[in-house]
Amino acid sequence: MQPGCFHCFESLCMGLRKSKPRRFAGYDDVNTSGEVTATQNTSSVYVTEHNSVHSDSVTCVDPFALGTCVTGSKDNSVALFDWKQGALLHRWNGHTRDITKVKHIGTTVYSSSRDKTIKAWQTNPGKNDPSLTFEGHRLVVTAIDLNEDGSLLFSGSRDNCVRLWDVTRPTSISEREVSRNLVSCVKWIPGTQCQVAQTGEDKMLRVWDTRNMQPAFTFPAQQYFQTYCDCSRDGHFIVTCSNGFNGKGCEATLWDVRAQQMICRYVGHYQTSSACIFLPRLEHVSSKDLIATVSHDSSLRIWEREGRECVASLDFSGSGPLTDICAWDDGSLCISTTNMGVFQCVLDSHEGKPRLLKKCQF
C-alpha cells in the first residue's frame, strides 16, 4: 500500500471486511449513531446468469425502454442490453478510454469518456459509428445530462469546467471554469429549461443557470467529496451522496431546491456512497417516496425519503464497489458493479414491507 493513498486504504478495508465478516457485522444493520436501520429484507431466488456484456468493470448504467438498459465500461464500449431476452442489442466502440457516463433520449445514446470526448450514437441497426463527437474538455469528462426535449447537453470534467452544448454541433455553446471544481455529476432539474444541479470534489452542490452559465445558487459546502446527484421528478428536491470510509461520510443528503437548504441525511453505508436516485412512486411497494443508494461497500439500500429509515437492503458480496444505479416505473433496478457486471433486481412488497430480489446478472 502506498503511503497516504486513500484508494489503497479503502481497498484494504474492503478486503478486511470480506475476510473477517464478524469484525464488520455491526455495520450491516446499524448506522453510525448506533440506531438500527434495517435488516436485509430479501428472499433466496434463482438468479438468471447471462453472458457478460462487458469484459471489464461496468462504470455506468442508464434506463432505456422497459427491460433494456444502456451500459458503459472500462472496456471502452457502450452497450444496449435486453435482460428479458438475454440479448445484446447493440454495442458501440469508438472511445479510446473508459466510459464514465451514459445517457439517452429517444433513439440517441450519449457517452462521456476519459478520452476527453462525448459521443452520440444511434440505436438504428447498422449504425455503429458515432453520429457526432463533442470536443472541448481538456481532461476526463466525468458527467453529462440532457434537458427534457434533448436539444441541449450539459457536461462537466476534471478540468474544472462545465460546458453547454447544442446536440447538433460538435463545439460547446458556452463554458465556465470554477477553481477546484472537479465535477463528479450533473443532472438537469425537471420542469426547468435552464437549471442544472452539479456536484464535485470541492464538496459543493451548485445549481447552474444555463442562460448565463453562472451558479444560480450554491448550497453550503460539505465535509466530504460529493460523488453523485439526482433530482426529484417535480424538481423540488435534490439528493447527493459522498465519499468516505469506515462509516464516516458515506451518506446521502436531501436538499430542498425552493428553500435552498438541507433537509436530512441518510446514514448507513460504511464506504463511499457512489450513486443515489429518487425512485418512481411504487404504490404496490410503499405509500411513501423512496430513495435508493449504492456504495463501495457492495450494498444497495432503500430509504424512506421523509422518514430517513432504511427499509430494505441487498448485499452484492464479491462484486466489488457498486458504481451506478437506475430504475424503471415497474420497480426494476439495474446496478453496475466493478467485478460482476450488472445485476437486474426488483423492488416489491413482502408481508407489507419493501423487499429487494436479484433477478438476473449480465
Side-chain angles (χ1 to χ4, degrees):
M1 182 173 73
Q2 304 263 345
C5 176
F6 169 78
H7 294 294
C8 290
F9 180 76
E10 184 176 32
S11 298
L12 177 61
C13 288
M14 290 173 62
L16 287 171
R17 181 185 185 273
K18 293 183 186 305
S19 61
K20 299 179 181 180
R22 291 183 182 178
R23 178 179 176 183
F24 290 85
Y27 287 111
D28 291 337
D29 305 318
V30 181
N31 65 24
T32 55
S33 64
E35 297 175 356
V36 174
T37 53
T39 57
Q40 283 197 1
N41 187 11
T42 62
S43 296
S44 178
V45 295
Y46 178 75
V47 178
T48 302
E49 294 188 16
H50 302 297
N51 291 332
S52 297
V53 175
H54 293 286
S55 60
D56 207 334
S57 300
V58 183
T59 55
C60 47
V61 61
D62 193 51
F64 203 74
L66 185 61
T68 58
C69 65
V70 181
T71 56
S73 169
K74 284 189 176 181
D75 66 9
N76 306 342
S77 74
V78 178
L80 177 62
F81 186 78
D82 183 332
W83 73 71
K84 290 188 175 181
Q85 302 298 321
L88 177 65
L89 303 181
H90 218 128
R91 184 185 304 279
W92 298 277
N93 294 287
H95 285 291
T96 58
R97 298 286 302 279
D98 312 5
I99 310 302
T100 57
K101 290 289 192 301
V102 287
K103 292 291 174 184
H104 94 280
I105 189 162
T107 59
T108 305
V109 172
Y110 296 86
S111 57
S112 59
S113 171
R114 294 185 63 85
D115 66 12
K116 309 175 189 177
T117 70
I118 303 163
K119 293 182 184 292
W121 315 87
Q122 300 303 316
T123 59
N124 302 330
K127 296 286 186 178
N128 297 318
D129 295 325
S131 56
L132 198 61
T133 298
F134 305 87
E135 296 181 290
H137 282 295
R138 300 181 300 278
L139 292 173
V140 50
V141 185
T142 50
I144 53 173
D145 201 23
L146 296 147
N147 65 347
E148 290 180 328
D149 64 12
S151 62
L152 296 172
L153 183 146
F154 196 87
S155 66
S157 166
R158 293 189 68 84
D159 63 9
N160 300 325
C161 276
V162 291
R163 289 177 178 256
L164 183 67
W165 312 77
D166 180 326
V167 297
T168 64
R169 297 167 53 187
T171 55
S172 58
I173 301 170
S174 55
E175 65 176 279
R176 183 67 61 182
E177 182 174 350
V178 177
S179 178
R180 299 189 299 276
N181 183 29
L182 283 72
V183 178
S184 59
C185 190
V186 298
K187 289 293 174 68
W188 219 289
I189 298 179
T192 74
Q193 281 293 318
C194 61
Q195 290 191 332
V196 181
Q198 178 251 309
T199 52
E201 291 189 14
D202 63 356
K203 308 176 184 178
M204 307 286 283
L205 168 60
R206 292 180 176 84
V207 174
W208 288 90
D209 188 329
T210 60
R211 294 169 296 186
N212 56 17
M213 288 300 282
Q214 295 285 349
F217 53 92
T218 302
F219 292 94
Q222 300 300 291
Q223 188 175 357
Y224 299 91
F225 293 166
Q226 302 297 290
T227 57
Y228 202 95
C229 63
D230 192 34
C231 302
S232 61
R233 292 188 176 187
D234 59 12
H236 295 164
F237 302 97
I238 299 171
V239 62
T240 62
C241 54
S242 69
N243 78 332
F245 59 92
N246 288 349
K248 303 297 183 182
C250 319
E251 71 256 9
T253 305
L254 183 66
W255 307 88
D256 188 316
V257 176
R258 294 168 295 180
Q260 298 181 21
Q261 64 183 18
M262 186 187 81
I263 300 174
C264 64
R265 298 190 195 279
Y266 309 93
V267 180
H269 289 296
Y270 50 86
Q271 298 292 342
T272 292
S273 294
S274 48
C276 52
I277 59 170
F278 291 94
L279 294 177
R281 177 58 71 90
L282 302 169
E283 295 292 352
H284 66 288
V285 176
S286 174
S287 61
K288 299 179 180 179
D289 293 313
L290 301 174
I291 286 172
T293 58
V294 293
S295 168
H296 287 187
D297 64 15
S298 304
S299 73
L300 159 65
R301 287 177 177 259
I302 307 297
W303 312 82
E304 286 185 357
R305 193 182 78 183
E306 305 301 334
R308 292 175 283 180
E309 179 187 359
C310 180
V311 295
S313 64
L314 190 56
D315 184 66
F316 296 83
S317 296
S319 67
L322 308 186
T323 56
D324 204 357
I325 181 173
C326 63
W328 287 258
D329 288 344
D330 68 343
S332 295
L333 304 168
C334 274
I335 296 92
S336 55
T337 76
T338 301
N339 298 332
M340 298 178 68
V342 180
F343 284 91
Q344 183 258 326
C345 305
V346 170
L347 177 62
D348 64 10
S349 179
H350 178 68
E351 297 180 349
K353 297 180 180 180
R355 175 182 63 172
L356 286 162
L357 298 173
K358 294 176 186 174
K359 302 297 287 186
C360 72
Q361 179 185 358
F362 51 90

